[in-house]
Every structure is written in C-alpha cells, then in structure tokens.
Amino acid sequence: MITPETFDELQQAVRSVDRVRVRGGGTKNVLSADATISTEKLSGILEYEPSEYTFTALAGTPLKDIAAALAENGQFLPFDPPLVEAGATLGGTVACGLSGPGRFRYGGLRDFFLGVRMVTGDGRVVFGGGKVVKNAAGFDIPKLVVGSLGRFGVLGELTFKVFPAPATWTTIRAEFPDFKSANAAMIRVAMSQEEVYCLDVEPTGAVSIRIGGLGDAQAVRTDRVRSLLDGAQVEISTGEAEQQLWNDIREFRWVPNGHSLIRLPLNPGQVETAEKLLAPQAGPRRYSVGGNLAWIAWSDSAAADSLLTACRELGRKPLPLIGNWSGGVPSAEAGGAFETRLLDIFDPQRKGDLVPS
Amino acid sequence: MSAEQFFAELRRIYPADRLLTGRAQLAPYESDGLTSFRARPSGVVLPETQQEVIDTVKICHKYEVPFLARGSGTSLSGGSVPIEDGLVIALNRLKRIIRYDAEQRVAVVEPGVINTAVSERAAVDRLYYAPDPSSGPVCTIGGNVAFNSGGAHCLKYGMTSNHVLGMKVVLPDGTVEQLGSDSLEGSGPDLTGMFIGSEGLFGVALEITLRLLPKPEKYYTLQAAYDSLEKAGTAVAMVVASGLLPGAMEIMDRLSMDAADAAIGAGYPKDAKAVLIVELEGTSDEVEAEKPRLHKVIEESGAYIIEAARDDEHRLKIWKGRKSAFSAVGRLSPDFIVQDGVVPRTKLGHALKEIDKLSEQYGIRVANVFHAGDGNLHPLVMFDGRQPGGLEHAEELAGEIIRLCIRLGGSITGEHGVGLEKRAYIGEMYGEDDIEFMQQLRRSVDPLELANRGKKLPSAEAPALTSVGAHPLEKQGIISRE
C-alpha cells in the first residue's frame, strides 16, 4: 500500500497502481480491505473561516478532528456523519456517501459538499465545484463522487458547508406496542412542522426523535412532539446522556459481534415491507432518517443471498460497510449510459472498479 | 440527409399547431430573460408527452440537428436562447404532477410544471417546495433543474439540486435513464446531482422527483436601516457569529431602494444608505426564543431604524419591495445587466467598495441587491442601449465585477448559471485543464454536442448581441429578476 504525503505523491501513486483502491481510516473494512493507496498522511484542515460557514480539508482528515475544530466555534456538520469516534475520514465518508440520523433536518452529505480537488482514475488532477456556499458554475463534480466508492478517482481536497450547532438537544424516545403504530407515528412527526433533527424507528416499536435549538424553547417543543405520539410511554433525555445515546447509534455500538453492517436506502412507504422481509433473518436494525435509510446488522451465520433477495424486492442496492460480509457490493455495480460515459473520461481503464464489469 | 427530411419526420409526430416554423411563430422563442441575446431557431416543437420528447431527441440525433429544451424562458444568463437553426423543444405542455405523496414528502413532476405550482399542490398538507427563485410563478421545474436555480432562502436550504432526489432523463442520443430514486439517501454515485445544473448539456429531464419540506410554522421578518452599506454588511457577519441561522438575509443599497420606491412606493427611509432584511423561520416557540437575540444583534450593529413585520401582510410588503427591486431598476434606466457573482461573505464589504469604485471609474450607475447570507451579489449595471457603445461599455464593467468575484475566491454565478453570458469568464474561474476536462465530459455524454450547444462552456459559436431591454414578461410585471 502506498501512503502519499503530498498531492503530487497522490497523483504519482494513482498513476503507478493497476487498481485504485483507497483506504482512509479503515473503519469500513469491507470496502478498504484490499486498498492500494492510503490517505492517512493526507490529513489536515487547510482553511476554516467560521464566519463563512465553510472549511477545506484534506481527504485523510479524521472527522473527529473536524468535529472538534467546528465545535470550538459552535458549529457542526449538519449531515451528522457516522463512525466519527471510530476514526472515519472525510474522504472515506464522501466516497461512501454516508450521512447519519441528523441529516433528516437539513440534508445529507451531498447537500453540504461544495468543492473537490481530486486525482481521476487515469491520474489527472481535477477541480470541481467551488469554495463558496453558493455556486452554479461548472459541472457538479462534488455531487458525482458522493457514494461513488472511489470509482472516479481519489479525493484529495474537500470543501464543505457547515452550520451553527443547536445550543441544546433533547431526545424523546417513545415505545409503541408494535412496529406498525411506531411507523405511523414516525410519518406523523415527519409531516409535522416540529422540525426535528433525527427520526428513527426500531423493530421493537421504539421511535426516537431528536430536537435541537435554544434552551428556552425546548420544554414547550418537547411537549408539542409528545402530543403527536398518541399517549405512548416516553422517555426524555438531555445533556450528556442524550449525546451518548446518538453517539452509540452513529458508532454502530448496537451491532453485535459476528454481524456485518449494511446500509440500505428506502423510502418511508417501504419501511413496513422492508421490516417484513428482513425480520426472519436480520440481526438488530434501525430505520433512520424518517424511514429513508435502514441500517442492518446481518449475522455471519445467515445467508447473504437472503438479504440481497430482500433488497432486490425493494428495488434498492445495499452497501455493506463492516464485518465478514460475503455478498459483494451491489452499490458499486456498473450503472447506465450516463455513468458509463462519465467514467470513460474519469477512469477509462476502470482502475477504480470494485466490481469487475 | 436534409432539413426537409428532418421536418418530415417531426411532422409524423406533431400536428401543424405543435410544430412551429413560421417567422412570427418563432419570434417568442428567439430570446429569454437575458434579452441582449437573440437567435432564430429553425423550428419549435410543443410535445405533450414524454415519448414525444424522446422521439424528438432521437430525430435530432439522427439528423445531427442541435436542440434546446426550454421552459418559460426566464433564464437570466441566456441559457434558453436557441441555437441558430436548431430545434427548440418547448416543454411547457408537460405539466403533470405525476405523483404527490404527502406521507413520503415527495412529488414527481414533469419538467413543464411551474415552480410555485408544486407548493400550491402541497399546501393542503402544509408542505412546500423550498427553492424560491423570484420568477417562481412563471419559471418551470425543468429550467430550475437545468440551471440549479436558487432564491432568497438558499442560505438554510440550498438550491434546486438539494431538493431533487431523482430524475428520469433522456440523454442527447435518445437513451432514457432513471437517475437517483425517491429516497433522501442514494446508492452509488450521485448522478442526479451531476445532471442538475448542467444547463441542458447532458440532456432533458422528463420526470423529476422533488423533496418536499414541512412549511415553517412561523416567519419573523425584520428590516433594518443603516447609514452605510458597510454597517449592513457587518450586521450580517454579526448575525452569523451569533449562532442564529436565518432563512434569509438580504441587503439593498440606496439606488435599489430608490428604484423600488419609484415602482411600488415601498417607502424606505429616505436617508438610509442600506437596508437589511433578516427572516427567521421555524416552529413558533423556537422563533419566539430567537427573536430577542436577533434584535439584540441588530441593535448592536448600529441600525438606526428597526422595523419588524407585524403580520403576514406586512411581511409580504417587505418582500415585495425586495423582489421588485430588479424590475424596478427599469424605472431608473432603460436597460440594465443583472450580475450574479458570489464572494466569500467576509469579503462582502470589500467587494461592494470595489464595485463602487468601478462604477465611478466607468461613469455607470450600479445598484446593488444581494443575498447577503450567502455572499451572492446582484449588481444591476445600468445603461442605455440606444447610446452607441452603451451595452458594450456596461458589459465591460460587468466583466470587471465578475473578475473581482473570482479574485476574491468566489464564483462567477451563484444561481443564474453560465449560459451564454458568462462563458468568457468560466475559464478564469477554473483552470484550463479543468475546462478541458469538462469539455471532455460533455463530449463523452454528447459526442455531437447537440444538447444546448454553445452554452455553459467556452465555445466559438455565439448568437450576436442584437437587442436590449426588459423581458416582455418583466415589462408586464409578471416576472422579476432576482
């Protein structure tokens, strides 16, 4: 594995390898196990101007460092990335297109990613997007590489938009007698004007709702959210315990040993069907982002094919991230003509393909 | 193969009233919101179904005829000016809302659906479609997608691309594809995001899946007057530093206020050099809690008049003044160019001083209206097109302003797109290699360069500058520029 320390070295590295496979923090072993290039030494925040709401950092910068720098100025990453404490990097998070539960409020990683300097699969340095919060010039290359799993090349320098962090957080966890009523409550909250940050449902019938904002309003806002919950039993958390609750969710501490972690996009109308399909064999799972995303723990002893079949029935492509997964990476399969024609320019030799086409 | 054969094939799809070739019939399609540019297409088709669009694109590809897909023609960058002798595919009749799902908060629409029609459809569920370009009552979602349109509320909610989840598109050779889906979360590369803002170069969107948001329960809008533009700029920085996240922050200078006063009697303080509009929005309790904080910041910023909207009607009046500014400038000057540069927010004050200097140097009046929250400037460069060299002189100044934005680390366009107007400058914002790379991407998707040829990227072909003045709809007060 080559570990470049400068942008030039990164370019050299891409040109010198036959297969472009990148490892950042190595937190998603399914995708980085056979890496040929490490971004470990391409780390650091290059520019951060709090009053601009933007920063630029190298791809190998750990999210932890970024979160800390932002927190010092009362700001945060509104897309709420996972695996921060585990050591995930900015570049890896972009390549996998990962946002966390808090993306429900303002948008996902794609919505906060403004500019990129990267090395294409054929070793060219390209800049796309901009460094200001608003820009309509050029093709939106930053968006293209979100979730691309390194297939267009290696990310070098990334510019993001950030927001001021809410002063206080409150989480309301409601227990419903069954999944169906929990799911109905989730939809009610999603359609309400309560502007919640996180909205997650668990198969047990638990709904977790996170609100944020000024301390003065939290008590009233909590009551208003409760009024949407049909008198369900609720537990309210604030302060450090509340932070810990969401940290544990984002760090996937709920995934048992001997399980792989799979990410699966959904739409809220599919959640009940997904649960029916998954329940017989899946391990613990969460329906996050108001029913737009499932995180699934899949036991090593269960057949990967059963999960793949369920995903196909839902018309969705799963992305395995962590564990001894043996079912391939459907999210990395070749797409249609538009994608192919773009790849023909970015990576004509398909050095970055995970799945041989 | 000849033009005759080309039109013969089109006639197999379109009855005579939907295939326009007469001189008078073509006239309305010769220009758009940027009236300085004009070109005559060879024909205009008015498809009513997606299949007709697909078939038309295939015929264009077969005969190698360049085409332009067009909505309402409100582009301010010349994006919907036709290609000389090319075909215009006018999409206004594809205006079905195919799916509306309140529980999933999505709407799937055809490209000819009017921007505000989406929010109107969703109003019953207190949902809305967030991007709000000033031309919202007229412009189409298809046009918004092509140009990644913005609006006054981008600071908090972003532009069009932040609200489109998926699309069915036809590529320039007639290939039909689904990009993205109806989920907020994607899998694989974000092709939807790449397609949006490509100014029609990657093809035509046939169905667009939009994300809907719950309508903010409460708005709180205030307007503050300052004795200098700089103080208003500083106030924006102070609001940002306070940790508040307003839905919008807008600044107008004296000249724009004069224009709005003349047009709609907006009633701005006579001695103010700048007004700042700040709008909080959200749940009523949150907004109530934020109010005193905002007032404190604005008082400390040196505003000498602070006027808060008493009710909805008053709020709309404040916004009407702001939104009228562009077309109102028409009262002060027969012609004007709208600029759309972006600078880092911290350099707003510097940029405004420089623009002022340039204005003096050129002896041309420049009114400034801008989305201060995201550093998006809209200098209105006034000129008289009847004066020989008037337009050219104004364009030179406009060019200097664009270069200033690039120098300060910003962008040549925040929300209007490159179109025809700014092609000369995109090569200064990006490096030569980056532009060449974009050209290659374009040619890979569209080797014949048929789709909206001559836009967005530097190119030899450009329609001549032939006329100036306000857009016909603007003159009628139907649309306004933002």
Side-chain angles (χ1 to χ4, degrees):
Chain A
M1 189 159 64
I2 307 171
T3 308
E5 295 185 13
T6 65
F7 212 97
D8 284 346
E9 286 180 16
L10 175 65
Q11 189 176 18
Q12 292 309 320
V14 172
R15 286 178 172 169
S16 69
V17 296
D18 296 329
R19 282 183 319 112
V20 178
R21 308 283 293 108
V22 191
R23 184 185 192 274
T27 55
K28 299 170 271 283
N29 70 291
V30 176
L31 302 165
S32 60
D34 58 347
T36 53
I37 296 171
S38 163
T39 59
E40 195 189 339
K41 295 272 171 66
L42 288 168
S43 173
I45 298 172
L46 304 176
E47 290 169 39
Y48 172 38
E49 181 57 67
S51 55
E52 294 293 348
Y53 286 171
T54 57
F55 73 86
T56 301
L58 292 170
T61 313
L63 290 172
K64 208 190 299 181
D65 296 359
I66 292 164
L70 295 177
E72 273 178 35
N73 292 282
Q75 298 184 338
F76 79 137
L77 294 167
F79 57 95
D80 199 22
L83 298 167
V84 176
E85 290 178 11
T89 62
L90 193 60
T93 305
V94 170
C96 295
L98 299 185
S99 305
R103 70 90 74 216
F104 187 65
R105 174 73 185 94
Y106 288 115
L109 185 146
R110 72 185 295 272
D111 300 307
F112 290 89
F113 183 24
L114 304 173
V116 63
R117 186 179 298 282
M118 63 182 289
V119 181
T120 60
D122 64 349
R124 289 189 279 177
V125 175
V126 181
F127 178 76
K131 287 190 169 181
V132 280
V133 296
K134 202 171 180 186
N135 169 38
F139 294 132
D140 204 342
I141 294 171
K143 292 250 177 359
L144 177 67
V145 297
V146 171
S148 67
L149 301 171
R151 290 170 63 224
F152 291 86
V154 186
L155 309 175
E157 236 179 79
L158 310 146
T159 300
F160 275 83
K161 172 174 159 179
V162 299
F163 273 164
T168 50
W169 296 103
T170 304
T171 290
I172 302 136
R173 189 183 150 93
E175 297 282 354
F176 286 86
D178 53 58
F179 185 71
K180 199 179 163 70
S181 42
N183 196 36
M186 178 192 81
I187 301 268
R188 274 201 303 282
V189 174
M191 288 180 71
S192 76
Q193 292 172 301
E194 301 305 324
E195 305 199 333
V196 307
Y197 278 79
C198 305
L199 180 54
D200 279 22
V201 187
E202 292 163 60
T204 54
V207 180
S208 300
I209 301 152
R210 189 178 208 198
I211 57 174
L214 293 169
D216 340 6
Q218 294 275 295
V220 189
R221 291 188 58 197
T222 302
D223 286 345
R224 283 181 42 155
V225 170
R226 283 184 70 162
S227 73
L228 297 167
L229 300 176
D230 265 355
Q233 196 72 28
V234 302
E235 201 182 311
I236 313 271
S237 339
T238 54
E240 258 174 58
E242 197 269 355
Q243 297 278 352
Q244 197 52 45
L245 204 135
W246 290 103
N247 276 354
D248 289 348
I249 291 167
R250 277 190 303 258
E251 298 295 320
F252 304 109
R253 296 195 176 106
W254 50 272
V255 175
N257 286 334
H259 285 69
S260 295
L261 173 68
I262 317 288
R263 169 191 180 273
L264 183 69
L266 294 172
N267 72 44
Q270 289 182 305
V271 168
E272 276 188 55
T273 314
E275 177 54 18
K276 266 191 205 111
L277 291 168
L278 294 172
Q281 287 196 64
R285 55 211 173 269
R286 297 186 70 84
Y287 299 94
S288 190
V289 194
N292 282 277
L293 187 65
W295 294 104
I296 304 155
W298 193 259
S299 166
D300 293 349
S301 58
D305 268 351
S306 323
L307 177 58
L308 295 176
T309 308
C311 294
R312 267 195 298 274
E313 269 186 55
L314 293 163
R316 305 279 174 182
K317 288 188 173 174
L319 175 64
L321 296 170
I322 302 171
N324 300 311
W325 174 253
S326 58
V329 185
S331 287
E333 285 161 9
F338 185 48
E339 185 179 327
T340 303
R341 292 175 200 180
L342 296 173
L343 271 174
D344 285 346
I345 302 302
F346 275 91
D347 186 15
Q349 294 172 1
R350 301 297 193 268
K351 281 161 76 171
D353 271 14
L354 267 85
V355 181
S357 44
Chain B
M1 283 180 275
S2 70
E4 269 166 51
Q5 284 172 299
F6 171 68
F7 278 102
E9 285 215 33
L10 288 177
R11 269 192 288 275
R12 264 179 240 144
I13 304 179
Y14 299 98
D17 62 338
R18 295 201 286 122
L19 170 57
L20 317 177
T21 50
R23 219 183 148 85
Q25 288 178 310
L26 298 179
Y29 297 91
E30 286 177 5
S31 191
D32 64 4
L34 183 80
T35 47
S36 311
F37 295 98
R38 210 163 272 273
R40 174 154 312 182
S42 62
V44 176
V45 292
L46 306 171
E48 288 177 348
T49 65
Q50 294 180 25
Q51 192 57 48
E52 288 179 351
V53 179
I54 297 164
D55 292 341
T56 306
V57 169
K58 282 182 179 161
I59 294 170
C60 287
H61 186 253
K62 181 174 166 189
Y63 291 91
E64 303 190 5
V65 174
F67 62 88
L68 161 79
R70 186 192 201 269
S72 299
T74 56
S75 171
L76 291 172
S77 58
S80 44
V81 171
I83 301 125
E84 194 79 43
D85 292 328
L87 186 74
V88 171
I89 306 173
L91 297 168
N92 307 68
R93 295 188 183 189
L94 271 79
K95 54 178 185 194
R96 287 182 305 151
I97 295 178
I98 296 167
R99 175 182 162 205
Y100 168 74
D101 190 327
E103 292 198 350
Q104 295 188 32
R105 294 189 356 197
V106 296
V108 181
V109 306
E110 288 185 324
V113 168
I114 300 295
N115 173 294
T116 50
V118 181
S119 292
E120 278 159 24
R121 175 68 184 82
V124 57
D125 296 301
R126 288 182 305 191
L127 299 174
Y128 80 123
Y129 174 63
D132 63 339
S134 276
S135 52
V138 190
C139 66
T140 63
I141 296 292
N144 293 174
V145 163
F147 280 80
N148 196 12
S149 306
H153 292 80
C154 295
L155 173 62
K156 199 166 180 176
Y157 292 108
M159 310 180 21
T160 299
S161 69
N162 305 109
H163 300 271
V164 177
L165 307 178
M167 282 188 293
K168 178 182 168 192
V169 301
V170 54
L171 301 179
D173 62 352
T175 308
V176 177
E177 248 175 37
Q178 175 68 39
L179 313 176
S181 76
D182 57 357
S183 173
L184 291 178
E185 287 281 296
S187 44
D190 192 340
L191 299 166
T192 309
M194 182 66 171
F195 194 95
I196 294 171
S198 64
E199 305 193 3
L201 268 57
F202 288 153
V204 185
L206 300 170
E207 275 181 29
I208 303 133
T209 304
L210 305 173
R211 156 170 96 128
L212 303 174
L213 296 177
K215 218 168 143 28
E217 183 181 36
K218 179 162 184 158
Y219 291 97
Y220 181 71
T221 312
L222 68 75
Q223 186 164 278
Y226 293 87
D227 59 15
S228 83
L229 202 50
E230 205 173 350
K231 277 189 192 164
T234 309
V236 171
M238 289 171 72
V239 172
V240 166
S242 74
L244 293 167
L245 182 59
M249 281 193 274
E250 306 276 312
I251 293 180
M252 293 168 72
D253 71 357
R254 183 68 251 169
L255 212 43
S256 337
M257 284 185 266
D258 286 344
D261 274 337
I264 61 161
Y268 292 103
K270 283 283 168 265
D271 46 355
K273 290 286 188 302
V275 291
L276 167 68
I277 300 168
V278 184
E279 183 163 277
L280 299 171
E281 35 131 274
T283 63
S284 56
D285 305 300
E286 194 66 35
V287 171
E288 282 303 324
E290 287 175 349
K291 258 189 203 175
R293 284 167 174 83
L294 177 64
H295 273 271
K296 188 162 172 284
V297 174
I298 297 297
E299 277 159 27
E300 285 170 5
S301 72
Y304 72 94
I305 302 174
I306 303 174
E307 184 190 9
R310 292 177 301 275
D311 48 30
D312 264 1
E313 199 183 328
H314 192 188
R315 170 180 179 251
L316 291 178
K317 185 174 166 253
I318 290 175
W319 276 111
K320 195 176 173 202
R322 160 63 186 87
K323 295 213 170 194
S324 75
F326 279 32
S327 42
V329 165
R331 302 228 170 190
L332 304 183
S333 172
D335 302 294
F336 59 96
I337 298 173
V338 182
Q339 286 284 272
D340 176 40
V342 181
V343 295
R345 197 166 27 212
T346 44
K347 292 178 179 158
L348 263 179
H350 178 73
L352 292 168
K353 264 190 210 150
E354 291 294 313
I355 292 173
D356 221 28
K357 264 194 234 164
L358 286 168
S359 159
E360 256 179 58
Q361 203 180 311
Y362 277 78
I364 291 178
R365 287 185 301 168
V366 180
N368 282 292
V369 184
F370 46 99
H371 306 305
D374 36 38
N376 191 185
L377 304 167
H378 288 312
L380 306 159
V381 180
M382 300 182 219
F383 68 98
D384 185 345
R386 290 162 304 188
Q387 302 275 333
L391 170 64
E392 289 73 14
H393 195 49
E395 284 202 312
E396 214 175 292
L397 168 58
E400 294 246 25
I401 295 174
I402 293 185
R403 292 202 174 94
L404 171 70
C405 295
I406 300 172
R407 268 205 312 282
L408 294 176
S411 171
I412 61 174
T413 171
E415 54 188 1
H416 298 168
V418 177
L420 279 173
E421 187 205 15
K422 292 182 273 294
R423 291 175 314 156
Y425 304 100
I426 189 165
E428 295 180 33
M429 177 173 166
Y430 294 98
E432 218 172 287
D433 292 351
D434 299 327
I435 295 292
E436 172 54 24
F437 189 75
M438 289 185 215
Q439 298 272 22
Q440 288 177 13
L441 290 175
R442 188 273 175 91
R443 279 184 222 119
S444 186
V445 174
D446 180 13
L448 300 172
E449 300 189 27
L450 298 178
N452 213 3
R453 179 185 289 175
K455 312 289 166 59
K456 191 171 184 88
L457 298 170
S459 152
E461 287 179 56
L465 297 172
T466 54
S467 102
V468 291
H471 189 278
L473 290 173
E474 205 166 26
K475 283 183 185 154
Q476 294 165 37
I478 293 170
I479 62 168
S480 56
R481 306 189 217 187
E482 185 151 341

